[in-house]
Amino acid sequence: MNAIDNEKQAVVRLAERFGRVRDAHQREQAEDYVELIADLIDGHGEARVVDLAGRLGVTNATVNNTIHRLQRDGLVTSKPYRSIFLTEEGRKLAESARERHRIVRAFLVALGVDADSAEADAEGIEHHVSDATLDAFRRYLGHADAREAKPGSFRGARQGGA
Amino acid sequence: MNAIDNEKQAVVRLAERFGRVRDAHQREQAEDYVELIADLIDGHGEARVVDLAGRLGVTNATVNNTIHRLQRDGLVTSKPYRSIFLTEEGRKLAESARERHRIVRAFLVALGVDADSAEADAEGIEHHVSDATLDAFRRYLGHADAREAKPGSFRGARQGGA
DNA sequence: CACATAAGTTAGTGAAGGCTAATTTTTATA
DNA sequence: TATAAAAATTAGCCTTCACTAACTTATGTG
């Protein structure tokens, strides 16, 4: 019953409570946005439309539309011509998305996938891993760490083939 | 340079050639449809709108729309009020989707994920694994098979934690 | 064979999510 | 401070993908 579990439950409740942000694709987009917004705030001090647009590969106008949806759904706040902030719920969603992203990426790297592919695939996979799978990834990382300590054993052959 | 590689290249060429079926979400939907159509043809002898609708959880009308798009994009053929067939290109796409699905599912099971979660997650993950990651999964399955033969070593602890 | 039911299709609606072009606001700088 | 550039917004358009309701075609059974 740790902090992450609490957040996970909050996210589940959130998903159930809000009629909107209901189907998988919308949830994915919401997660991508709040995760990116959190990263921008941490890295730049603020998240602006133009930064999101650049990183997501869409136009400012598209980001603007999406931000309005996210605001309607209670995940972000922003006043016209000002930068974007996460609500408490948005922050929780971002945290849990980041955590999954981090684990998936680390898992793929531990499995022997090159860093670029691992990052690219983690981006897509993070939205589709159940708790059961995420736990399996965590377990594997635990064992991989243990093997790291006493070298000589198998750790994913033929790294870097792309 | 095996048969699967040839198909993979064909799929890549297909994706590049057709202006349509261009973005990730559409590609995923196309893969889901052709994979399901292939399964239905193998299992029932034919793929009908009503079967697709039932399995995908959408209405007949929605399936109809999508089938028209897939037909436009050269992946399926169907005459009004008749069942649906895959084109050669559709069949190749279905094959490669099935192969990825199979590997992802087997990999998750080998990692200790329960069968139901593995199946559910594979459905989503299969669309997001690069060749590099798929190779890593295959390698792990190879090693897991080897360990299977001489028991006693690690094979994913604490199975069955939904 | 008639006709009820199942399956498939069409028409019309709506939201999501993308774009461009035009406009407004903010910011930076000459 | 005036003004140019950057950023944000709005308006209008498009496709996808979902729905319901109404209709047509196929199918199976009395």
Side-chain angles (χ1 to χ4, degrees):
Chain A
M1 195 56 78
N2 57 25
I4 290 171
D5 283 343
N6 281 334
E7 292 204 352
K8 217 178 301 177
Q9 288 177 11
V11 169
V12 169
R13 266 180 278 118
L14 173 72
E16 287 167 355
R17 188 149 37 86
F18 274 77
R20 267 73 168 262
V21 185
R22 108 168 15 98
D23 88 353
H25 193 232
Q26 280 169 252
R27 185 180 44 74
E28 285 176 43
Q29 199 199 24
E31 286 176 0
D32 284 341
Y33 266 77
V34 295
E35 194 179 348
L36 182 49
I37 290 167
D39 287 349
L40 284 169
I41 290 174
D42 288 358
H44 294 204
E46 62 174 1
R48 304 179 64 78
V49 169
V50 69
D51 300 321
L52 288 167
R55 279 166 185 73
L56 293 167
V58 297
T59 62
N60 286 6
T62 296
V63 169
N64 223 265
N65 279 337
T66 306
I67 292 299
H68 283 138
R69 276 196 292 276
L70 297 180
Q71 189 156 22
R72 179 200 65 191
D73 295 339
L75 296 172
V76 310
T77 59
S78 81
K79 281 181 281 194
Y81 299 97
R82 294 293 162 204
S83 63
I84 301 148
F85 301 92
L86 295 174
T87 62
E88 186 59 21
E89 290 169 344
R91 200 195 55 73
K92 283 177 185 164
L93 186 60
E95 277 311 307
S96 93
R98 271 203 228 189
E99 168 75 356
R100 264 179 305 159
H101 189 129
R102 194 183 62 70
I103 289 171
V104 172
R105 191 201 313 107
F107 171 78
L108 292 176
V109 168
L111 201 66
V113 177
D114 68 282
D116 287 352
S117 301
E119 175 54 36
D121 290 6
E123 195 73 51
I125 292 173
E126 59 166 317
H127 304 296
H128 300 280
V129 291
S130 62
D131 289 350
T133 293
L134 205 61
D135 282 349
F137 287 6
R138 283 202 196 89
R139 281 200 301 276
Y140 183 88
L141 282 170
H143 289 289
D145 287 353
R147 277 197 299 281
E148 195 88 8
K150 39 173 177 167
S153 44
F154 169 74
R155 208 174 83 249
R158 266 198 343 221
Q159 192 162 349
Chain B
M1 194 55 79
N2 55 25
I4 290 170
D5 282 344
N6 281 334
E7 293 203 353
K8 215 177 300 176
Q9 288 178 12
V11 169
V12 169
R13 265 181 277 118
L14 173 73
E16 286 167 355
R17 188 149 38 84
F18 274 78
R20 267 71 166 265
V21 184
R22 107 170 15 98
D23 88 353
H25 192 233
Q26 281 170 252
R27 185 180 46 73
E28 284 175 42
Q29 200 200 22
E31 286 176 359
D32 284 340
Y33 267 75
V34 295
E35 194 177 348
L36 182 49
I37 290 166
D39 287 349
L40 284 168
I41 290 174
D42 287 358
H44 293 205
E46 61 174 2
R48 304 179 64 77
V49 169
V50 69
D51 300 320
L52 288 167
R55 278 167 184 73
L56 293 167
V58 298
T59 62
N60 287 5
T62 296
V63 169
N64 223 267
N65 279 337
T66 307
I67 293 299
H68 284 139
R69 276 197 292 276
L70 296 181
Q71 189 157 22
R72 180 200 64 191
D73 295 339
L75 296 172
V76 310
T77 60
S78 82
K79 281 181 283 195
Y81 299 98
R82 294 294 163 202
S83 64
I84 301 147
F85 300 93
L86 295 174
T87 62
E88 186 59 22
E89 291 169 345
R91 201 193 53 75
K92 283 177 185 164
L93 186 60
E95 276 311 307
S96 94
R98 270 202 223 186
E99 167 75 357
R100 261 178 306 159
H101 189 128
R102 194 182 61 72
I103 290 171
V104 172
R105 190 201 313 108
F107 170 78
L108 291 176
V109 168
L111 201 67
V113 177
D114 68 283
D116 286 352
S117 300
E119 175 54 36
D121 290 6
E123 196 74 49
I125 292 173
E126 59 166 316
H127 303 295
H128 300 280
V129 291
S130 62
D131 288 351
T133 293
L134 206 60
D135 282 350
F137 287 6
R138 282 203 197 89
R139 281 201 301 275
Y140 183 87
L141 283 169
H143 290 290
D145 287 352
R147 276 196 301 279
E148 196 88 9
K150 38 174 178 166
S153 43
F154 168 75
R155 206 173 85 249
R158 263 196 347 218
Q159 191 162 349

